[in-house]
Amino acid sequence: MTEVHQVRHKNKTLATLLAFLLGGIGAQRLYLGGLRDRALWAHLSALPLCAAASALWPHADAFYHLLPIIVSGLIGFLEALVMGLTSDEKWDARHNASSGRQSASQWPLAVILVASMMLGAGSLIATMSRLFDLLYTGGAYG
């Protein structure tokens, strides 16, 4: 008896939502590539890096302790934008070549993209502001 392996269809809206909500820990990478995805492990490495920064520099500002996960989260917002703005045809060619279905993105994807742009840009500006404050004034403004 032959066993048929059915390939799961990867939903672009779900992948974008995962990147938006949990991009800092690589949930979108787990959904798309599974445990073999190297980018997933790069995202997950931010957590032990935060712990290592806290252990090695206990008297440093908490911002420095959280910087690895902040950077991973910013990359998650960027990944959400890149995934969401990929055309359905390119998405299907890359992630759904043998699923037998075609993607048809609708308005929820646009809402996720707008939210990703707003929160991602705001987070990037806030991160840069805090980093410059700590580096150039020693944290005089906060």
Side-chain angles (χ1 to χ4, degrees):
M1 179 186 278
T2 59
E3 186 175 319
V4 177
H5 178 69
Q6 186 175 357
V7 178
R8 293 183 60 201
H9 182 80
K10 303 293 184 180
N11 187 309
K12 183 169 83 167
T13 304
L14 178 59
T16 304
L17 181 65
L18 287 171
F20 171 66
L21 295 175
L22 300 169
I25 58 171
Q28 73 282 7
R29 306 304 305 189
L30 182 62
Y31 174 67
L32 293 174
L35 293 174
R36 294 179 188 243
D37 190 341
R38 290 182 182 168
L40 166 67
W41 295 103
H43 279 290
L44 287 176
S45 70
L47 297 172
L49 285 173
C50 288
S54 296
L56 292 172
W57 300 289
H59 300 294
D61 191 86
F63 176 80
Y64 292 125
H65 298 164
L66 296 175
L67 195 56
I69 197 70
I70 291 171
V71 170
S72 184
L74 290 172
I75 292 169
F77 285 129
L78 182 60
E79 283 183 305
L81 290 171
V82 169
M83 282 189 274
L85 292 172
T86 301
S87 70
D88 287 342
E89 294 78 22
K90 283 186 180 180
W91 178 266
D92 287 336
R94 181 167 186 187
H95 298 288
N96 297 319
S98 58
S99 75
R101 294 174 51 195
Q102 290 185 338
S103 298
S105 301
Q106 297 179 350
W107 67 267
L109 180 63
V111 172
I112 297 167
L113 288 171
V114 169
S116 294
M117 188 67 188
M118 286 185 347
L119 285 176
S123 298
L124 179 62
I125 291 168
T127 300
M128 289 171 42
S129 299
R130 182 63 179 152
L131 186 59
F132 288 161
D133 174 40
L134 288 171
L135 290 175
Y136 295 118
T137 69
Y141 296 105

